[in-house]
Amino acid sequence: MTMLLNSTNFSYFILAAYFDTGLFKHLIFLLILCLYVLIIVSNLLLIVVICMNRSLHEPMYLFLCSLFVNELYGATALFPFLLTQVLSDIHSVPRSLCFLQIFCLYSYASNELFNLAVMSYDRYHAICFPLQYNTHMTFKKVATLTASAWFPAVFLPSVTIVLSSSLQLCGNIINKVYCDNYHIVRLSCGDITANNIYGLFATTLTILVPLILILFTYVRIFKVCFSGSKQTRQKALSTCSPHLASLINFSCGAFCEVVQSRYDMSNIPNFLRVILSLYFLACQPLFNPVMYGLNLSKIRHFCKNLFFSRD
């Protein structure tokens, strides 16, 4: 009861993970800005290449286009905010903007996994049922699968925000460089049972369901590859290796973030904690266009023609 009396609805949150960088402030700002520009240029480039070339209007490339759109969405939810905070001496953020950022970052992370699951399903059909692929993967089915990746990524974080924004809080200090729902829930003075139950449900749906689908598809893909010809294995390797690399990169970054949130990491230098916390949000949007742009021959070919074609 005493805790509830001390609770209040704070109008802003303080991000306590920022530290004084002194003379390096503007250098860090420039590095973050360069990374953001690279992310925008690389993802936009591949989106334009896929949209402008009719030969790339195939399911695999359309799913890739959705993935690149998501990278732009996630990066825009993080980088302008980071750039503002790096130059600021007071690291506070309005309550409404904080919850907006949580929604954007959570929906980005959810959509990333669902997109990767849909892409693995597409590769499963292409490799295991090549003769029926064009019949199975129609434009209508591609649109349905793309929508099925975006819908839960929008709906699930929306419920999270509704539950968290109604909590009575006993503090407003978040030990992060960006807003995080888990840390806000920990600041609550009241009953958080509903938040915990829904959080478990949403996490299971967001992580377990896509991973089960990815695991199932790759078991079938590897089975076909090991029993098939060398040409089949080479085709599977060329189309699946960027997807697996993207999945591993994102999973490792997300794992580091979850470990940091749940366990005491005070023995690790603050700078390293910040880097690990930002890894899956900052590196994945650049990793994907570089990985797919270099490994998929059609995309690489059109990019070369775009920049090096002669009149």
Side-chain angles (χ1 to χ4, degrees):
M1 186 68 174
T2 304
M3 292 180 66
L4 287 174
L5 291 174
N6 292 331
S7 68
T8 185
N9 283 322
F10 293 95
S11 60
Y12 65 93
F13 292 99
I14 297 172
L15 302 174
Y18 287 94
F19 53 92
D20 184 21
T21 53
L23 298 175
F24 294 102
K25 177 188 293 186
H26 293 90
L27 176 61
I28 294 172
F29 175 87
L30 286 174
L31 290 174
I32 295 173
L33 180 61
C34 288
L35 180 58
Y36 185 39
V37 171
L38 281 174
I39 289 170
I40 292 175
V41 171
S42 58
N43 282 281
L44 273 180
L45 171 65
L46 295 187
I47 290 171
V48 170
V49 166
I50 292 172
C51 291
M52 296 296 291
N53 293 279
R54 296 183 64 87
S55 62
L56 295 181
H57 293 179
E58 301 173 7
M60 179 176 73
Y61 299 104
L62 295 177
F63 291 135
L64 272 178
C65 193
S66 175
L67 186 70
F68 296 146
V69 169
N70 190 51
E71 306 303 355
L72 287 175
Y73 169 65
T76 303
L78 176 68
F79 279 91
F81 179 84
L82 276 182
L83 291 169
T84 304
Q85 290 295 325
V86 164
L87 291 181
S88 177
D89 294 324
I90 302 174
H91 305 293
S92 61
V93 54
R95 180 186 178 95
S96 57
L97 181 59
C98 194
F99 282 114
L100 176 62
Q101 186 181 49
I102 291 172
F103 169 79
C104 291
L105 294 180
Y106 275 45
S107 58
Y108 158 74
S110 299
N111 192 32
E112 191 78 5
L113 275 175
F114 280 112
N115 256 316
L116 291 171
V118 167
M119 290 169 67
S120 71
Y121 178 76
D122 172 66
R123 291 300 83 204
Y124 160 69
H125 274 283
I127 295 170
C128 297
F129 306 101
L131 298 180
Q132 297 85 21
Y133 178 72
N134 290 329
T135 305
H136 287 168
M137 299 303 293
T138 61
F139 180 80
K140 182 178 180 181
K141 190 167 186 178
V142 170
T144 302
L145 288 171
T146 303
S148 69
W150 281 91
F151 176 74
V154 172
F155 176 75
L156 295 175
S158 298
V159 179
T160 298
I161 297 303
V162 170
L163 291 173
S164 298
S165 60
S166 62
L167 292 174
Q168 291 292 320
L169 306 179
C170 289
N172 66 337
I173 298 177
I174 301 174
N175 192 29
K176 301 273 289 185
V177 293
Y178 57 87
C179 294
D180 180 71
N181 183 71
Y182 177 77
H183 286 76
I184 290 178
V185 172
R186 288 177 62 183
L187 294 172
S188 174
C189 303
D191 184 18
I192 58 172
T193 302
N195 299 75
N196 289 334
I197 293 174
Y198 180 76
L200 182 62
F201 165 75
T203 301
T204 302
L205 189 60
T206 302
I207 297 176
L208 201 59
V209 172
L211 288 182
I212 288 175
L213 178 59
I214 292 171
L215 181 62
F216 168 78
T217 55
Y218 271 100
V219 167
R220 299 296 299 272
I221 288 172
F222 289 145
K223 184 178 179 180
V224 169
C225 289
F226 286 125
S227 61
S229 64
K230 182 179 179 181
Q231 185 180 3
T232 302
R233 288 194 294 271
Q234 288 177 341
K235 179 185 176 182
L237 181 63
S238 64
T239 59
C240 292
S241 56
H243 180 269
L244 282 173
S246 176
L247 177 64
I248 292 170
N249 183 66
F250 183 77
S251 299
C252 289
F255 176 76
C256 289
E257 170 60 10
V258 170
V259 169
Q260 279 200 86
S261 298
R262 267 60 178 181
Y263 299 99
D264 181 20
M265 307 290 285
S266 57
N267 58 327
I268 297 178
N270 193 35
F271 178 75
L272 182 58
R273 292 207 307 270
V274 170
I275 295 297
L276 291 174
S277 179
L278 291 173
Y279 181 83
F280 85 106
L281 293 170
C283 291
Q284 185 77 356
L286 184 60
F287 181 87
N288 276 339
V290 171
M291 177 61 63
Y292 284 101
L294 292 176
N295 279 276
L296 297 183
S297 57
K298 281 190 176 182
I299 290 181
R300 190 169 65 246
H301 171 73
F302 282 113
C303 287
K304 283 182 179 179
N305 287 343
L306 184 64
F307 289 104
F308 303 110
S309 61
R310 297 179 180 178
D311 297 330

